[in-house]
Amino acid sequence: MTPRRRRTLALAAMLALLAVAAALLLGALRHNLNFFLAPGELLQQRPDPQQRLRLGGVVEAGSLQREPGSMTVRFVVAEGEHRVPVRYSGLLPDLFGEGQGVVAGGRLARDGVFEAHEVLAKHDENYRAPVGESRPAWVKP
C-alpha cells in the first residue's frame, strides 16, 4: 500500500468517526430539548401529554392556592388573555409570587392542567435599593 493511499484511508476513517460523533451528539441534544412556550402558544399547539416543555408567563394575581397539609400549590400562568392552570408540589423559589414572572418545566395533562416538576422565578436585571436606603449597601459613601 502506497503512502498516499494510507493517508486517504486514514482521512476517510477520521471523517467517518467525526460524522458518527456528530450524529450521536445531535441525537442526544434533540432528545433532551425542552421547548419554551407562552400560555397562548401552549393552548394553541396542545402538545402530547408525554412531551416535556417549559411554560413561561406571569403568575396571575389572586390565583395562588396552597393545599393544606401538603407542599402542593396551584396557580395560573397568564399572558394577555390566555391562562394556563399549573399544579406543583415542592419548594418554591424565594422570588416566586403573584404578579411575578415564572418559568415552569413539566407536562400538559389531558385535563388541561400543567403538571410542573420545577418552578423557576424570573427577575429583571435592575437593582432596587431596599426601602429607606438611597444606595446599595456595598457602595461606600
Side-chain angles (χ1 to χ4, degrees):
M1 188 180 292
T2 65
R4 182 175 179 168
R5 184 162 174 96
R6 258 187 280 163
R7 272 195 314 253
T8 304
L9 285 176
L11 182 62
M14 289 190 61
L15 287 175
L17 285 173
L18 185 62
V20 168
L24 290 173
L25 180 66
L26 290 175
L29 287 176
R30 188 175 310 131
H31 178 70
N32 291 323
L33 212 103
N34 285 335
F35 294 103
F36 181 95
L37 300 173
E41 296 168 327
L42 181 69
L43 295 172
Q44 181 182 12
Q45 291 182 10
R46 284 292 189 188
D48 179 35
Q50 299 304 316
Q51 182 180 359
R52 291 174 34 165
L53 49 95
R54 289 185 176 207
L55 171 67
V58 175
V59 178
E60 189 173 58
S63 69
L64 184 60
Q65 301 172 352
R66 298 180 188 276
E67 290 185 12
S70 75
M71 295 179 66
T72 301
V73 293
R74 295 172 186 269
F75 56 93
V76 175
V77 174
E79 176 228 4
E81 69 275 354
H82 303 288
R83 280 142 185 67
V84 175
V86 178
R87 183 173 34 242
Y88 173 69
S89 185
L91 296 174
L92 291 169
D94 290 337
L95 296 174
F96 179 86
E98 294 178 349
Q100 297 293 325
V102 68
V103 175
R107 294 178 170 92
L108 183 66
R110 294 197 190 281
D111 62 358
V113 176
F114 190 82
E115 298 285 344
H117 59 79
E118 77 172 331
V119 172
L120 306 171
K122 292 182 358 182
H123 62 87
D124 61 11
E125 67 280 351
N126 299 325
Y127 175 80
R128 291 182 185 85
V131 177
E133 288 186 32
S134 60
R135 66 181 83 145
W138 49 269
V139 175
K140 295 181 181 180

